[in-house]
Amino acid sequence: MSNFLRDRAAIVGIGWTPYSKNSGVSTLELALRAIAAAADDAGLRPSDIDGFITHSVGDSATAASVAACVGVPDPHVVLDLVGGGSMSAATVGAAAMAVATGQADTVVCWRALNARSEFRMGGTGRAAPALTEFQYQTPYGLFAPPQQYALVAQAYMDASGATAEDLAAVAITQRDNASHNPRAMMRTPLTLDAYLAAPWISDPLRLYDCCLETDAAVAVVVTTAERARDLDTPPILISGAATGGGHSLYSGARTDYSISAAADLAPRLYDNAGLGPEDIDIAQLYDAFTPLVLMQLEDYRLVPRHSAPEFVAAGNTKVGGQLPVNTHGGHLSEGYVHGLNHVIEAALQLRGTAALQVPGAEVALCTGQPGYVSGVSSALILRADR
């Protein structure tokens, strides 16, 4: 996204299905339900949409099939982005580009997945992924995301001095946030003793360091800022969007895995938005695993290098703190809809209608997975249109 596109597009509708361990329906049905809800939220009909953008890892309905089911015979934009949470923010950035340049009038972005009942990440019984690097990880037993991210976690902990208690502070804070959120799958308070007593998943990651496997869909409707002001809901301006490269654990030029690719992406993102880290009121940070929250606080320049553990432990990421983070509970406690549910929460916060509202929230940072394994990342800066 160039400066030319700054604030020219806006989020006008959001929708979601219940978050569960077994939806009982197909990913196509989930997508259609979330899209219908998002269109209704904007005061539109699903057939008013002429652009369709989604992201997946081979586990969902395609954009073309959704367009057909919605009843749009001539969609102007049909885009399937390959990637899990890495591409969540990129879908909204692509939608902003499409409407600002006149390719489409109204674009819906969504993520639909049955990630618990159907397609479990790293699960067995499926063909090996079509990734060149898979051949390099299999001899070492690195099949599942927790195993891969355990290496990242250990690198960050070694570099920063972060401890298990620092990871626990992330999980406990987000569970406290989720206790206020009716959408959240996990709302029972989490204690340090319970965190430390939980089973290891892949050292240094315990059970509560890992996101929830979730069946759900979320959808976001984007149109031009001008048109948005004539619709039913307060527009949420898309001030900045950026997509960037990432790390590979198995090949590539990067050698310091304690710093994510977000550190490279962040300057472009802020420049696109015409804002800086000091302008961010709330941050919805991709949290497939607890260490990613600490790393992104630093990599997006929200706190100094290696100070994130102390920052979180001091309560600064709680609502009422210096920088509220993952106010819905995040992927760790609300549910894992591959990054796009963070955009839903950001929109609610900027409208002033969130379950656990941050008073005066005007600017939100939303991030995708910060580039590990997939080799790509993306992020957004959203702003209330006051």
Side-chain angles (χ1 to χ4, degrees):
M1 179 184 247
S2 70
N3 295 348
F4 171 75
L5 294 174
R6 183 187 303 161
D7 293 340
R8 295 190 62 188
I11 293 170
V12 293
I14 54 176
W16 59 87
T17 68
Y19 300 176
S20 73
K21 294 183 178 181
N22 189 345
S23 70
V25 299
S26 68
T27 54
L28 175 59
E29 179 65 23
L30 285 171
L32 295 173
R33 290 179 182 181
I35 290 168
D40 183 67
D41 181 56
L44 300 170
R45 298 168 299 177
S47 58
D48 293 326
I49 297 166
D50 60 355
F52 298 83
I53 302 177
T54 189
H55 68 106
S56 71
V57 286
D59 57 352
S60 190
T62 65
S65 63
V66 167
C69 290
V70 168
V72 178
D74 182 31
H76 298 177
V77 172
V78 178
L79 184 59
D80 294 277
L81 297 175
V82 177
S86 300
M87 301 305 290
S88 56
T91 64
V92 181
M97 186 181 302
V99 301
T101 57
Q103 296 178 71
D105 292 324
T106 307
V107 178
V108 67
C109 311
W110 75 93
R111 180 69 168 107
L113 70 170
N114 281 321
R116 175 65 185 183
S117 66
E118 186 176 339
F119 192 102
R120 299 181 69 180
M121 294 290 169
T124 59
R126 298 194 306 270
L131 299 171
T132 302
E133 292 164 344
F134 195 70
Q135 63 187 305
Y136 302 124
Q137 66 192 71
T138 50
Y140 302 98
L142 291 171
F143 298 108
Q147 297 170 314
Q148 297 160 341
Y149 282 90
L151 301 178
V152 173
Q154 193 62 63
Y156 176 76
M157 294 172 79
D158 289 346
S160 66
T163 65
E165 287 76 11
D166 293 320
L167 303 186
V170 173
I172 291 168
T173 298
Q174 294 191 193
R175 181 63 64 83
D176 288 346
N177 292 344
S179 69
H180 301 272
N181 177 7
R183 303 187 304 276
M185 296 175 69
M186 303 294 285
R187 296 196 289 269
T188 303
L190 177 64
T191 66
L192 177 59
D193 286 344
Y195 169 90
L196 293 173
W200 292 103
I201 301 301
S202 185
D203 190 8
L205 301 177
R206 292 174 166 87
L207 177 66
Y208 295 115
D209 292 307
C210 304
C211 65
L212 301 170
E213 294 178 302
T214 307
D215 287 12
V218 298
V220 175
V221 176
V222 175
T223 191
T224 64
E226 275 190 348
R227 185 184 183 211
R229 295 181 179 112
D230 293 329
L231 295 177
D232 290 353
T233 55
I236 304 302
L237 298 174
I238 302 168
S239 293
T243 301
H247 293 60
S248 162
L249 299 182
Y250 318 106
S251 63
R254 296 176 185 271
T255 57
D256 186 352
Y257 293 105
S258 71
I259 301 174
S260 79
D264 295 332
L265 179 151
R268 288 189 289 110
L269 177 68
Y270 290 126
D271 182 62
N272 288 342
L275 299 169
E278 68 280 1
D279 297 309
I280 302 301
D281 296 320
I282 54 172
Q284 312 299 345
L285 303 178
Y286 191 90
D287 57 320
F289 303 96
T290 53
L292 296 182
V293 173
L294 301 176
M295 298 173 74
Q296 289 174 94
L297 282 168
E298 298 172 10
D299 293 343
Y300 281 101
R301 306 182 183 185
L302 300 166
V303 302
R305 180 68 59 196
H306 297 163
S307 70
E310 181 181 357
F311 186 80
V312 174
N316 287 304
T317 58
K318 296 179 179 180
V319 173
Q322 184 176 332
L323 178 67
V325 171
N326 294 347
T327 47
H328 50 328
H331 298 323
L332 297 171
S333 286
E334 182 189 57
Y336 185 56
V337 198
H338 257 176
L340 207 56
N341 53 318
H342 283 15
V343 178
I344 299 292
E345 174 66 11
L348 290 170
Q349 287 285 347
L350 298 180
R351 288 179 179 179
T353 59
L356 183 59
Q357 181 64 44
V358 175
E362 298 281 342
V363 180
L365 170 67
C366 291
T367 71
Q369 193 269 105
Y372 292 106
V373 182
S374 65
V376 68
S377 184
S378 60
L380 299 166
I381 292 178
L382 307 176
R383 186 170 64 84
D385 185 30
R386 306 279 193 226

